[in-house]
Amino acid sequence: MGKLVIVGTVAFDAIETPFGKTDKILGGAATFIGLSASHFNVDAAAVSVVGGDFPQEYLDLLSERHIDISGIEIIKEGKTFFWSGRYHNDMNSRDTITTELNTLADFNPVVPENYRDAEVVMLGNLHPLVQLSVLEQMEVKPKLVILDTMNFWMDCALDELHHVITKVDVITINDEEARQLTGEYSLLVAARKIHEMGPKYVVIKKGEHGALLFNDDNVFYAPALPLEEVFDPTGAGDTFAGGFAGYIAKTGDTSFENMKNAVIYGSTLASFCVEKFGTERMQSLTEGEVNKRLMQFKSLTQFEIELA
Amino acid sequence: MGKLVIVGTVAFDAIETPFGKTDKILGGAATFIGLSASHFNVDAAAVSVVGGDFPQEYLDLLSERHIDISGIEIIKEGKTFFWSGRYHNDMNSRDTITTELNTLADFNPVVPENYRDAEVVMLGNLHPLVQLSVLEQMEVKPKLVILDTMNFWMDCALDELHHVITKVDVITINDEEARQLTGEYSLLVAARKIHEMGPKYVVIKKGEHGALLFNDDNVFYAPALPLEEVFDPTGAGDTFAGGFAGYIAKTGDTSFENMKNAVIYGSTLASFCVEKFGTERMQSLTEGEVNKRLMQFKSLTQFEIELA
């Protein structure tokens, strides 16, 4: 079992959906990634920053999941990153109401000494230079580096993003962002162009339409599990990435065949995330529930066909 | 091997896409369904109507595919149904420029005598009363009746549509139409409501995002094959339905397991249809090409997972 370093936000979210709204609750990319990866009992460390306003119980919640929090800096006089947003009726689009960077504005990530030889590094959505800084602190070349990013960095830090992209093995990105990054509408062509930027593996997340994994001429497609209702999509992409990274860290196998399984685990875990507000569902999730849903994924997608 | 009755338009289309435009070319639901189903060498008959302006070579083209055309009425003094449309840059939406019903306005379908005992009936997108008339002419209850429809009939003939829906086994419908028909956003809930309207099997087509097959608590998901470029989406839904119907007619097996295969064949055939304008690609399609792409579908979707 390998070590996993996760860098990303640990934050407050306030969420409004057609089903209701929350006060400030636990959120952030590193939080969702960590909770998801913790399903695989990997030795994970979160690298992030919070303010003095961040409740100890939230940190305890991560610790209890065996996520090392020594890399989460607490700036007592500062405030924690805060995001609030409102989802539209179709739950596929949202408006950001508030983004308060707070302590994140000057975030200087420090990877704990004993995680600088981690086999897997998951660079959650953050400024590309922060992601780069984490990579540069690794003392042993990781077996797999996974990068998640978003359109915001394409708009305001494209050169830095291109630079860090050259240094990663896997990129996870949504369909619109893949199109923005490459100027290509076809996801097949977009994935090829991203390959040429550096990453050997490209995962394109399509929300309710599933996810695609590309590696040269290999393509794999995992649907999203059709759900009765999507309650809150916040964190689904990070939960997907956390499941992917956690499964790779656990198995230590970076073959395409095993990455297909990592994608299936990522999709499975993400399908739970959206069932309740914020991290609520991920906190109560059991191994039995995950295994049951994996079986649903199998029956959803597997077939036996004979040629005509 | 069973008989297959196909009712639908045989038409002229004029298509404009970002890649180019056509004059009046061969189109129509029954045409695409027939060409697709003909891949399975089933004994199929098309029931439709055309005008005196319809070229004999187009009829020959269907005959050469062993599609019985005795049920295609030719009204010498009339004109053939004509549709023209323009696709937007993303190829996912289009504007209708022209719809000339012509001979279709008074279409009275007549199922050829020797096809009134067909095992499979494919009711292509037409007025629900025309679909109903075909069903009423069947002298032996078909093993499987498949209905395709669209939002247009929900807007202007909803009662008649509800009536014919009670009489079919399978409905194929796109995601937006499923939502319109049921008032439900979740496709899982929408499919359940459509089940309650009559059909035991519900196929929801999601275009580039694939297709879902529902039967009570069983769900199966077939992605669309990721393509370099979609040249012309016209007829893809009908090609899907034709592949589905043709495979069922060929195998005579209406189990859920076999319907999964029918969905895969439908998706496979539709993935060719969009590669060229109109019916062009389907006309040149070989069995070897289909089998090769089926193998691509397998590697796209099949995985081996062990529980954590």
Side-chain angles (χ1 to χ4, degrees):
Chain A
M1 185 176 61
K3 290 183 191 173
L4 169 65
V5 165
I6 299 161
V7 60
T9 53
V10 172
F12 290 127
D13 286 346
I15 300 156
E16 196 175 329
T17 79
F19 301 105
K21 59 188 292 185
T22 70
D23 292 327
K24 283 187 178 184
I25 58 173
L26 175 61
T31 307
F32 282 103
I33 293 167
L35 288 176
S36 185
S38 73
H39 177 74
F40 302 98
N41 302 312
V42 291
D43 185 3
V47 176
S48 194
V49 63
V50 294
D53 58 346
F54 198 72
Q56 184 62 39
E57 62 168 295
Y58 284 171
L59 293 171
D60 293 345
L61 193 149
L62 296 175
S63 296
E64 284 158 17
R65 299 283 166 148
H66 306 290
I67 299 163
D68 184 292
I69 58 167
S70 64
I72 303 182
E73 187 184 2
I74 302 171
I75 298 182
K76 287 248 181 293
E77 67 283 13
K79 288 177 69 182
T80 301
F81 173 62
F82 172 56
W83 175 83
S84 74
R86 183 185 296 124
Y87 287 89
H88 301 161
N89 277 332
D90 67 2
M91 301 296 263
N92 279 325
S93 55
R94 68 186 185 191
D95 296 322
T96 289
I97 299 168
T98 314
T99 306
E100 294 175 9
L101 286 181
N102 297 329
T103 51
L104 199 69
D106 304 305
F107 177 36
N108 228 325
V110 179
V111 179
E113 287 286 351
N114 52 332
Y115 285 92
R116 293 188 180 178
D117 59 352
E119 285 86 352
V120 179
V121 176
M122 175 73 228
L123 304 172
N125 175 42
L126 273 176
H127 194 295
L129 290 182
V130 173
Q131 296 177 316
L132 190 65
S133 162
V134 166
L135 271 194
E136 286 171 347
Q137 293 172 49
M138 300 307 291
E139 286 163 4
V140 180
K141 185 178 158 54
K143 197 161 175 180
L144 202 74
V145 178
I146 305 155
L147 175 136
D148 188 52
T149 189
M150 69 182 295
N151 50 1
F152 181 75
W153 308 115
M154 297 174 202
D155 295 334
C156 74
L158 185 59
D159 287 347
E160 297 91 328
L161 179 60
H162 270 295
H163 181 61
V164 70
I165 283 178
T166 64
K167 303 197 174 294
V168 308
D169 304 294
V170 185
I171 185 170
T172 70
I173 190 170
N174 79 28
D175 44 1
E176 283 318 306
E177 290 157 358
R179 287 169 175 146
Q180 179 175 345
L181 187 60
T182 62
E184 294 289 343
Y185 186 80
S186 158
L187 297 178
L188 203 64
V189 180
R192 192 183 303 139
K193 283 205 172 178
I194 298 173
H195 278 314
E196 288 165 6
M197 296 175 188
K200 277 180 65 178
Y201 300 90
V202 177
V203 177
I204 298 183
K205 300 175 288 184
K206 307 203 300 170
E208 65 162 326
H209 301 302
L212 285 157
L213 168 67
F214 296 91
N215 164 240
D216 296 330
D217 289 337
N218 293 319
V219 194
F220 178 66
Y221 190 117
L225 201 74
L227 296 171
E228 293 263 336
E229 78 186 11
V230 170
F231 194 79
D232 172 20
T234 309
D238 294 316
T239 301
F240 174 90
F244 183 92
Y247 184 76
I248 298 290
K250 180 199 173 194
T251 56
D253 176 354
T254 60
S255 68
F256 186 75
E257 283 305 308
N258 197 55
M259 268 192 208
K260 284 160 59 172
N261 292 350
V263 167
I264 293 292
Y265 265 104
S267 297
T268 301
L269 288 157
S271 77
F272 288 106
C273 176
V274 303
E275 290 182 339
K276 292 194 177 175
F277 270 127
T279 61
E280 192 181 343
R281 186 67 181 90
M282 296 309 289
Q283 288 183 43
S284 70
L285 188 59
T286 67
E287 192 176 321
E289 289 173 322
V290 173
N291 287 343
K292 189 174 166 201
R293 196 157 287 185
L294 268 178
M295 293 302 100
Q296 286 180 269
F297 255 97
K298 271 197 139 160
S299 72
L300 181 68
T301 56
Q302 304 303 287
F303 59 88
E304 295 289 339
I305 211 161
E306 284 169 43
L307 295 184
Chain B
M1 184 177 61
K3 288 183 191 172
L4 169 64
V5 165
I6 300 161
V7 61
T9 53
V10 171
F12 290 127
D13 286 346
I15 300 157
E16 196 176 329
T17 79
F19 301 105
K21 60 187 293 186
T22 70
D23 293 326
K24 282 187 178 183
I25 58 173
L26 175 61
T31 306
F32 283 104
I33 293 168
L35 288 176
S36 185
S38 73
H39 177 74
F40 301 99
N41 301 313
V42 290
D43 185 3
V47 176
S48 195
V49 63
V50 295
D53 59 346
F54 198 71
Q56 183 62 39
E57 61 168 295
Y58 285 171
L59 293 171
D60 293 345
L61 193 150
L62 296 175
S63 295
E64 283 157 18
R65 299 282 166 147
H66 306 291
I67 299 164
D68 184 293
I69 57 166
S70 63
I72 303 183
E73 187 185 2
I74 302 170
I75 298 182
K76 288 248 182 293
E77 66 284 10
K79 287 177 69 182
T80 302
F81 174 61
F82 171 57
W83 174 83
S84 75
R86 183 185 297 125
Y87 286 88
H88 302 162
N89 277 333
D90 68 2
M91 302 297 262
N92 279 325
S93 54
R94 69 185 185 193
D95 294 323
T96 289
I97 299 168
T98 314
T99 305
E100 294 174 10
L101 286 181
N102 297 329
T103 53
L104 199 69
D106 304 305
F107 177 36
N108 227 324
V110 180
V111 179
E113 286 287 348
N114 51 330
Y115 285 91
R116 293 188 179 176
D117 59 353
E119 285 85 352
V120 178
V121 176
M122 175 72 231
L123 303 171
N125 174 40
L126 273 176
H127 194 296
L129 291 181
V130 173
Q131 296 177 317
L132 190 65
S133 163
V134 165
L135 271 194
E136 286 171 345
Q137 292 173 50
M138 300 306 292
E139 285 164 4
V140 180
K141 186 176 156 57
K143 197 160 177 182
L144 202 75
V145 177
I146 306 155
L147 175 137
D148 188 53
T149 190
M150 69 183 292
N151 49 2
F152 181 76
W153 309 115
M154 297 173 201
D155 295 333
C156 74
L158 186 59
D159 287 348
E160 296 91 328
L161 179 61
H162 271 295
H163 181 61
V164 70
I165 283 178
T166 64
K167 302 195 175 294
V168 308
D169 304 295
V170 185
I171 185 171
T172 70
I173 191 171
N174 80 27
D175 44 1
E176 283 318 304
E177 291 157 356
R179 286 169 175 146
Q180 179 174 346
L181 187 61
T182 61
E184 294 290 342
Y185 186 80
S186 159
L187 297 180
L188 203 64
V189 180
R192 193 183 302 138
K193 283 205 172 176
I194 297 173
H195 278 315
E196 288 164 6
M197 295 175 188
K200 276 181 65 177
Y201 300 90
V202 177
V203 177
I204 298 183
K205 300 175 288 184
K206 308 203 298 171
E208 64 163 325
H209 302 302
L212 285 156
L213 167 68
F214 296 91
N215 164 241
D216 295 331
D217 289 337
N218 294 318
V219 194
F220 178 67
Y221 190 118
L225 201 73
L227 295 172
E228 293 263 334
E229 77 187 10
V230 170
F231 194 79
D232 172 19
T234 310
D238 294 316
T239 301
F240 173 90
F244 183 92
Y247 186 76
I248 298 292
K250 180 197 172 195
T251 57
D253 176 353
T254 60
S255 68
F256 186 76
E257 283 306 307
N258 197 56
M259 267 192 210
K260 285 160 59 171
N261 291 349
V263 166
I264 292 291
Y265 266 105
S267 297
T268 301
L269 288 158
S271 77
F272 288 106
C273 175
V274 303
E275 290 183 339
K276 292 194 176 175
F277 270 127
T279 60
E280 192 181 344
R281 186 68 181 91
M282 296 310 289
Q283 288 184 44
S284 71
L285 188 59
T286 66
E287 191 176 321
E289 288 173 324
V290 173
N291 288 343
K292 189 175 165 199
R293 196 158 285 185
L294 268 178
M295 292 303 99
Q296 285 181 269
F297 255 99
K298 271 197 139 162
S299 71
L300 180 69
T301 55
Q302 305 304 286
F303 59 88
E304 294 290 340
I305 212 160
E306 283 168 43
L307 295 184

